[in-house]
Amino acid sequence: MIVFTLTNEDTDQVWVGTARDGVSPEARFQQIQSAVALGIDHPFFEELKKFGASAFTPSLFAVAEDRMELQELVEEALDSLNAKSLVGIKTVKPGTTKSALAPKPKTRVSRVKPSASAANKPKAVKPVKEKLATGRTGSAAKERAIKAGIEAEKARIAAAKAKKAQDEADEMKAILAGLDARGSTLSRR
C-alpha cells in the first residue's frame, strides 16, 4: 500500500491519497481523472476541473506494510505538508460496482424438526482448535506471528507427547512394583 501526493503547481495545494500495492501514483491519478466525468461531488474534482490535470504533479510519499502504518503515514503527510486528504475519494458512482450490480441471492428458511432419538442424545463438544494460516502474507510481521504460532503449537504437541510417555512409564513402574511386591510375599509363605 502506498501513500502518494498530488501537488497543484498553480496554487501549491497538496492532496494526499492512498493506493494498493502495484498501483503507481500516476496510475491512481489517472483513475481519479477518469472519475471527473461521473459528476461525483468532491472538492478535489472541482479543483481538477478548474486547473486541469496538467497543473498536478503526482509523487510517491511512502510505502506502508499494513493498514495501521498506512494510516500513520497519511496523517504524517497531512500534517507535514499542510495537505488535504484524498483518502476515500470515490472513483465510481455509488451502486455501479460489479458487487452492487450482482443479483442478491435469496435466502431460504426451512424448519427441520429434530427426531426424538436425536433430542435424547447428548452432543459431544469438541474443543475448537485455532486455525493457523499457512503460505505467504503481505506482511513480514504477520508471517513472523504465524511462524511463532506454528512453533508454539509444535512445542505444545511435543510436550503433550512427552507427558503422555512419562505417565505411561510411571504407570508401568507402578504395575511392576505391584508385581514385585506380590511375588515377594508369595515366596515368604
Side-chain angles (χ1 to χ4, degrees):
M1 295 176 279
I2 66 167
V3 177
F4 69 93
T5 61
L6 295 174
T7 306
N8 185 334
E9 300 300 330
D10 294 342
T11 63
D12 291 330
Q13 176 63 54
V14 179
W15 294 83
V16 176
T18 60
R20 291 182 298 243
D21 287 330
V23 178
S24 69
E26 292 80 13
R28 182 68 175 130
F29 184 46
Q30 288 293 326
Q31 289 175 341
I32 293 170
Q33 286 178 46
S34 63
V36 171
L38 298 175
I40 299 172
D41 186 33
H42 192 277
F44 180 75
F45 289 134
E46 300 303 321
E47 193 170 325
L48 187 58
K49 288 176 192 174
K50 182 177 179 182
F51 294 100
S54 60
F56 291 90
T57 305
S59 61
L60 180 66
F61 181 80
V63 178
E65 290 292 323
D66 57 18
R67 290 197 180 275
M68 292 299 293
E69 185 180 7
L70 182 73
Q71 186 176 6
E72 291 171 5
L73 290 171
V74 167
E75 289 174 10
E76 178 184 332
L78 290 171
D79 291 341
S80 65
L81 300 172
N82 194 23
K84 294 182 180 178
S85 178
L86 288 174
V87 176
I89 191 170
K90 303 292 183 199
T91 55
V92 294
K93 275 279 201 192
T96 59
T97 60
K98 287 182 183 177
S99 61
L101 295 175
K104 305 291 186 242
K106 295 181 180 178
T107 58
R108 289 184 142 174
V109 178
S110 61
R111 298 197 181 255
V112 178
K113 293 182 181 179
S115 64
S117 61
N120 294 337
K121 289 184 183 179
K123 293 186 179 181
V125 177
K126 290 184 180 180
V128 177
K129 187 175 179 182
E130 179 183 344
K131 287 187 121 186
L132 295 175
T134 58
R136 307 291 279 162
T137 66
S139 169
K142 287 181 185 176
E143 286 188 31
R144 283 192 296 273
I146 290 169
K147 286 180 182 177
I150 291 171
E151 292 301 319
E153 182 68 15
K154 285 181 182 177
R156 188 191 64 75
I157 291 171
K161 284 183 181 179
K163 183 175 180 351
K164 184 178 178 182
Q166 184 62 40
D167 290 345
E168 289 175 355
D170 290 344
E171 185 180 357
M172 186 57 77
K173 282 181 188 176
I175 292 170
L176 290 175
L179 289 175
D180 285 343
R182 195 175 93 190
S184 65
T185 57
L186 287 177
S187 63
R188 290 185 188 161
R189 288 186 187 177

